[in-house]
Amino acid sequence: MQIQNGKIWVEEDSTDLGIVDDLLAAGIPKTDIILGFHHPSKRALTEFAIA
């Protein structure tokens, strides 16, 4: 996970803990989280930021 241009990039979420779920529970909006493990063409199909 890293922060670039004010967005949180999650490159991998293969744990049972669910990193993205923890970010959302902490109050971070979906528009500030980029699911880097999805292909760029698929990111637009989610409710999360595209980049």
Side-chain angles (χ1 to χ4, degrees), residues 5-21:
N5 299 324
K7 303 287 185 185
I8 300 172
W9 281 77
V10 179
E11 291 93 7
E12 188 174 339
D13 192 7
S14 60
T15 67
D16 290 339
L17 303 175
I19 296 167
V20 174
D21 292 333

Side-chain angles (χ1 to χ4, degrees), residues 19-37:
I19 296 167
V20 174
D21 292 333
D22 289 344
L23 294 171
L24 294 171
I28 298 171
K30 290 180 179 181
T31 55
D32 288 343
I33 301 171
I34 298 172
L35 303 178
F37 51 85

